[in-house]
Amino acid sequence: MNVKSWVKITPHDAIVAGKSVLASNDVAGQKLLVEVYRKYVNNYPKFFKMDTLCKLGFIASELLLNDIEGTERNSFDDRAVIMFNHSSSYNADCHFQQTIQDVDDFYPSPSVFVYTLPNIVTGEIAIRNKYFGETSFYVIDEPDARIMAQVICNTLVGSGMKSALCGWVECTCDDEFTAVVFLLDGDIDRASFEEEIKSLFTEQ
C-alpha cells in the first residue's frame, strides 16, 4: 500500500479510513466543519478566520494526522503538501467581489482577499505542522488519478521529499465541498498508486 491512511469530508459526513467520526448526522455544511474542529482540534483559533476551502483542507489534514501520528506534531523537512481541485479559490473570489462590487459601498477586505489563492490551503497546513518541504496546489478539470499520481510522483522525485500529504480539496460555495486527503510515506509504486487514488473516490 502506498497510502497510509485517508480522510473524506462532504457537507454531510467526515470519514477517517472508512469510519465516520460524527456523533450524529444532524449537522451539515459549515456547521459540520465547526463541529469537527471543536471535537478533534480546538487549539487553533485561526481556523475561524479561514475561508471555507482553507477550513476544509485544514480539518481534513488534522483528522488524517491525528489518525496516523496522534496529537504530537513534528517538523518534517522532507514532507510535501500537494493539493488539487477544479474551482481554485472561486468561493473566496466571489466573497471578495462582493466587497468591491458597489462603487458607493466599496470596502475591499484584506481578510477575505488573503484567501483568493488556493495555495493558502497548503501553506496553512505546512505552517501548522512545521513542514518545510514542497507545497503546491494544482487546478485540474476533475480528480484524475493518472494526473494526480504523475504530479505527486514527479514532485517527490524532483524535490527529494520522502512523504507527502496530498489530496483533492474542492469548494464551490460555503456549504458545498468535498475533500479526499491521504498521506504517502516511503517509495511509491506508480501503477498501484493510481488504482489506490481511484478507489479513494469511490469509498463510502
Side-chain angles (χ1 to χ4, degrees):
M1 293 286 288
N2 300 287
V3 175
K4 290 186 66 176
S5 188
W6 58 275
V7 168
K8 184 173 185 177
I9 300 177
T10 68
H12 304 287
D13 208 352
I15 299 167
V16 179
K19 297 180 180 180
S20 176
V21 297
L22 293 179
S24 71
N25 293 323
D26 294 337
V27 294
Q30 285 276 336
K31 291 182 179 179
L32 181 147
L33 295 179
V34 172
E35 176 171 302
V36 173
Y37 167 81
R38 293 193 186 283
K39 184 174 182 180
Y40 294 99
V41 187
N42 209 34
N43 64 353
Y44 201 68
K46 190 178 179 182
F47 169 83
F48 293 100
K49 298 180 180 179
M50 297 176 181
D51 76 319
T52 306
L53 180 67
C54 205
K55 287 178 180 176
L56 178 64
F58 176 82
I59 288 296
S61 68
E62 289 291 299
L63 290 176
L64 180 67
L65 295 171
N66 284 347
D67 181 55
I68 297 172
E69 298 170 344
T71 57
E72 293 297 322
R73 299 296 183 182
N74 298 305
S75 300
F76 285 91
D77 292 332
D78 55 5
R79 175 167 290 174
V81 182
I82 308 166
M83 296 294 176
F84 303 81
N85 80 2
H86 171 70
S87 299
S88 186
S89 57
Y90 175 77
N91 188 47
D93 296 345
C94 290
H95 285 303
F96 184 72
Q97 179 64 30
Q98 292 172 7
T99 72
I100 62 174
Q101 188 73 29
D102 189 343
V103 294
D104 297 321
D105 190 22
F106 187 82
Y107 62 105
S109 170
S111 64
V112 177
F113 180 73
V114 72
Y115 291 103
T116 57
L117 282 174
N119 62 355
I120 297 299
V121 180
T122 56
E124 289 282 9
I125 294 170
I127 291 169
R128 161 69 164 171
N129 298 290
K130 296 183 174 65
Y131 296 160
F132 299 97
E134 177 84 11
T135 63
S136 50
F137 201 114
Y138 296 87
V139 178
I140 58 178
D141 287 338
E142 59 186 359
D144 185 305
R146 182 186 63 82
I147 293 175
M148 293 174 70
Q150 181 180 26
V151 169
I152 292 166
C153 290
N154 288 347
T155 299
L156 293 178
V157 171
S159 63
M161 299 292 101
K162 294 181 180 178
S163 64
L165 196 159
C166 315
W168 179 267
V169 184
E170 174 70 290
C171 174
T172 53
C173 68
D174 285 340
D175 290 313
E176 290 295 332
F177 47 76
T178 303
V180 177
V181 176
F182 49 92
L183 187 70
L184 304 170
D185 196 358
D187 295 333
I188 299 173
D189 178 85
R190 173 72 176 274
S192 64
F193 182 35
E194 283 190 34
E195 293 304 313
E196 283 182 75
I197 293 176
K198 290 178 184 177
S199 70
L200 292 179
F201 286 90
T202 59
E203 292 280 359
Q204 300 299 317

